[in-house]
Amino acid sequence: MVKSFGEFLLFIQSMLFRKERFAVLWSRTVDECIIIGVNSIFIVSIVSAFIGAVTCVQIAYNLVNPLIPKSTIGYMVREMTILELAPTITSIVLAGKVGSSIAGGLGTMRITEQVSALEVMGINSASYLVLPRIVAAMLMFPLLVILAMSLSIIGGYLAGSLTGALSAQEYIEGIRTDFVPYNIVFALIKSVVFAFLVSAISAFKGFFTSGGALEVGAASTDAVNNSIIAILVADFALAAILL
Amino acid sequence: MIEVHNVQKSFDGNQVLRGINCTFETGKCNLLLGGSGTGKSVLLQCIVGLMKPDIGSITFDGTVFTNNKVDIKQEIRRKIGMLFQGSALFDSMTVAENVEFPLKMLMTEMSREERLDRVEFCLKRVGLENAGNKMPSEISGGMKKRVGIARAIAPNCTYLFCDEPNSGLDPLTSIKIDELIHEITHEYGITTVVVTHDMNSVVEIGDHIIFLYKGQKLWDGNKDEILNAQVPELKEFIFSSSLVRAAKKVDDETDGGLAAATTDEAINI
Ligand SMILES: Nc1ncnc2c1ncn2[C@@H]1O[C@H](COP(=O)(O)OP(=O)(O)OP(=O)(O)O)[C@@H](O)[C@H]1O
Ligand SMILES: [Mg+2]
């Protein structure tokens, strides 16, 4: 455990030392942004809209006390999604999607000697292959989280009005109550940290795959498992430090 | 000329290379011959710098590569082309982009037109002028090897390394790939190192052969000398393979005819 953490740090360092030309890395980063960001819009949208809807319906189900105004439901949906559900659930979903694709892609390149081919050409393979992926993830995760926040709140709105749990007016009133802009900043900080963890851990797992196709599969699974654990630990740590 | 001085390498106490001394001559196909597990691939990886020898050094035309400064190593690396056992083409790029890649990364002074010209030239040289837009997954194993060779020679390499260029290919395709490597070596005066355990290749292209056995060099010489070599391990290796007879027969009957056919015909494997 300590050993692999040390190796992980060395890996991050090797990526930053002897970097490739900026133009090359930038164009690779743009490519990766499309793979990581644009291609994840669909799944993130679906997940976040449903999470918002379900949160709304379930809170409504629990809030039966007539003394509590119905707008509280809207307020709670907003607080839960912005602070926790949108950044964390989105990152966990992306750990599955992006993490496995990074680990699988790099693992395949490793076992088919494409990484060696880069090294023989004198290219720093870690910097060329991994750095753009990490940067792209750190750029794209926050954008996807913003999307997720909006869609969750819209999902809650639709679910609330369609099921008749509360009126549209009440919901809107709820989501405008006691808004703390810092919560959004906090969520975005979380998403950048999660992005780094998911992409770096997955890249590390994939990059050092050895063996055959079976090991590539195992590396992907490991990457997703470790990323999710790292997200949850970091989530707790950040909440403790920043809130 | 590449010189290997007393190279030793072990993995967790398992000594794979036990002090290898040999030279690879300029403008020739140097074959590293030996059975499975004798450390051919490990030696090759030590030479190209993918692995570091525990002891010993490698010298490229007088410049020490092992443990030298990063810039000097980088300079030498740029002169190295390598064909990998599984071709190692980048599967997210087309064939032409694969060949262009080292030019794009290493020869920043080249304009786009110059690069594309060079790509066209290299693909034509290996007989694949029409495959530029295909993806690596759409071409056959033999074609992949050709693309691998084109990519290796694209930046005008001085040293060409091939790890088992004909593993997984049928005998005829193997011979064509061997011939291609041989021709390119002589045409451009490249120092070529080919790892093989195929007696066919030995008879076809062995300008200089180094026989490895259990991590040591037991013999070196050329393809005419090898059949008369008096090293028991080498004799056993050669004559255990019935291929050697077949190869000899092909060589006698066609008398170089095969080589001529390879260059004349449109190559489609
Ligand atoms: N990265 C490594 N870690 C540990 N042992 C290794 C490693 N690479 C090679 N070996 C060991 O070194 C020995 C020689 O391997 P090598 O791949 O050089 O054989 P080879 O001569 O290329 O054989 P083949 O013709 O089958 O490719 C083998 O016993 C192998 O187990
Ligand atoms: Mg080998």
Side-chain angles (χ1 to χ4, degrees):
Chain A
M1 176 73 191
V2 175
K3 184 162 169 272
S4 47
F5 186 67
E7 282 165 356
F8 178 71
L9 292 183
L10 284 177
F11 170 65
I12 300 293
Q13 188 215 330
S14 74
M15 198 168 71
L16 299 173
F17 158 78
R18 196 158 70 80
K19 283 205 291 280
E20 291 304 322
R21 275 176 300 128
F22 180 76
V24 172
L25 289 182
W26 179 247
S27 84
R28 288 266 305 110
T29 305
V30 172
D31 290 346
E32 291 298 335
C33 281
I34 293 172
I35 297 172
I36 292 174
V38 178
N39 295 353
S40 302
I41 290 178
F42 179 73
I43 182 78
V44 167
S45 306
I46 297 281
V47 170
S48 52
F50 274 93
I51 295 259
V54 172
T55 311
C56 178
V57 171
Q58 292 190 351
I59 291 173
Y61 168 75
N62 281 307
L63 270 190
V64 283
N65 189 336
L67 291 178
I68 300 175
K70 285 227 171 123
S71 63
T72 312
I73 299 171
Y75 169 77
M76 285 177 74
V77 169
R78 187 198 76 205
E79 287 300 288
M80 283 177 73
T81 52
I82 289 183
L83 217 48
E84 181 64 19
L85 296 179
T88 310
I89 300 283
T90 303
S91 297
I92 288 179
V93 167
L94 290 174
K97 186 178 181 299
V98 174
S100 62
S101 103
I102 289 179
L106 291 175
T108 308
M109 292 192 76
R110 167 68 72 186
I111 64 159
T112 55
E113 298 181 302
Q114 294 175 49
V115 176
S116 301
L118 288 171
E119 288 288 335
V120 169
M121 287 176 200
I123 295 164
N124 179 354
S125 53
S127 137
Y128 179 78
L129 293 173
V130 178
L131 194 57
R133 284 175 161 91
I134 294 184
V135 173
M138 289 169 79
L139 292 174
M140 288 297 117
F141 272 41
L143 297 181
L144 289 168
V145 165
I146 291 173
L147 175 76
M149 288 173 183
S150 329
L151 288 177
S152 288
I153 290 173
I154 294 173
Y157 172 86
L158 290 177
S161 346
L162 290 177
T163 58
L166 77 172
S167 72
Q169 233 87 54
E170 287 166 323
Y171 188 83
I172 304 253
E173 191 193 321
I175 62 174
R176 297 173 79 175
T177 314
D178 296 334
F179 176 63
V180 187
Y182 176 72
N183 286 353
I184 293 200
V185 175
F186 175 65
L188 295 181
I189 293 173
K190 286 210 303 196
S191 68
V192 174
V193 173
F194 296 165
F196 174 77
L197 291 172
V198 169
S199 54
I201 290 174
S202 307
F204 175 67
K205 286 284 169 194
F207 198 74
F208 292 108
T209 307
S210 61
L214 201 62
E215 281 79 7
V216 175
S220 290
T221 311
D222 263 11
V224 175
N225 285 345
N226 289 312
S227 298
I228 291 176
I229 294 170
I231 288 175
L232 296 174
V233 172
D235 191 22
F236 177 76
L238 287 174
I241 297 167
L242 293 177
L243 284 187
Chain B
M1 191 164 69
I2 305 169
E3 288 158 287
V4 175
H5 289 291
N6 188 30
V7 166
Q8 301 188 17
K9 178 85 190 169
S10 43
F11 298 101
D12 312 318
N14 163 26
Q15 196 167 17
V16 177
L17 301 179
R18 300 159 190 267
I20 297 207
N21 288 292
C22 57
T23 55
F24 301 106
E25 295 162 12
T26 309
K28 290 192 177 172
C29 276
N30 300 273
L31 264 50
L32 267 179
L33 184 69
S36 261
T38 47
K40 304 183 298 291
S41 298
V42 172
L43 178 58
L44 196 67
Q45 296 197 37
C46 286
I47 297 173
V48 299
L50 288 174
M51 256 182 215
K52 224 176 130 199
D54 299 337
I55 305 177
S57 65
I58 320 283
T59 313
F60 286 79
D61 289 320
T63 314
V64 181
F65 180 65
T66 323
N67 294 325
N68 212 328
K69 287 199 217 74
V70 175
D71 312 354
I72 296 176
K73 276 177 142 171
Q74 207 66 358
E75 201 52 46
I76 294 176
R77 277 216 165 99
R78 291 183 180 210
K79 295 188 198 157
I80 294 180
M82 183 152 177
L83 170 62
F84 285 85
Q85 196 161 348
S87 302
L89 302 182
F90 302 119
D91 33 41
S92 57
M93 302 178 193
T94 65
V95 164
E97 282 165 354
N98 261 286
V99 179
E100 191 187 353
F101 183 78
L103 302 175
K104 225 170 169 172
M105 297 297 291
L106 306 178
M107 310 219 143
T108 38
E109 69 284 354
M110 262 178 130
S111 72
R112 199 178 139 71
E113 285 72 38
E114 285 172 319
R115 282 206 308 264
L116 293 181
D117 281 353
R118 180 77 189 150
V119 170
E120 204 186 313
F121 172 82
C122 291
L123 282 178
K124 205 162 170 187
R125 183 64 195 82
V126 299
L128 286 178
E129 53 271 48
N130 298 322
N133 293 324
K134 293 213 166 72
M135 296 305 283
S137 55
E138 298 168 348
I139 60 179
S140 71
M143 285 162 87
K144 281 186 191 158
K145 300 272 173 171
R146 285 170 187 277
V147 179
I149 294 173
R151 184 176 69 182
I153 62 170
N156 270 323
C157 68
T158 320
Y159 314 102
L160 177 63
F161 296 89
C162 307
D163 195 352
E164 309 205 4
N166 37 29
S167 68
L169 300 180
D170 67 79
L172 185 61
T173 310
S174 295
I175 290 174
K176 287 182 176 173
I177 296 287
D178 281 347
E179 280 300 335
L180 181 61
I181 293 172
H182 195 243
E183 283 165 22
I184 285 175
T185 302
H186 287 262
E187 215 169 298
Y188 305 113
I190 300 173
T191 309
T192 301
V193 179
V194 179
V195 168
T196 187
H197 42 54
D198 186 356
M199 282 309 293
N200 242 336
S201 307
V202 171
V203 185
E204 282 289 328
I205 62 169
D207 300 330
H208 177 212
I209 300 156
I210 290 155
F211 178 67
L212 292 187
Y213 184 80
K214 293 196 175 154
Q216 280 176 315
K217 184 186 87 173
L218 283 194
W219 183 87
D220 71 330
N222 64 31
K223 64 182 169 190
D224 301 321
E225 296 159 1
I226 196 166
L227 295 176
N228 304 320
Q230 292 308 318
V231 179
E233 289 86 354
L234 178 56
K235 275 182 140 168
E236 189 190 12
F237 184 82
I238 298 172
F239 294 105
S240 68
S241 121
S242 57
L243 265 178
V244 68
R245 269 162 276 150
K248 266 184 88 178
K249 224 172 112 195
V250 169
D251 204 41
D252 294 344
E253 277 177 8
T254 56
D255 196 20
L258 252 177
T262 325
T263 39
D264 293 348
E265 278 170 16
I267 300 154
N268 240 333
I269 44 175

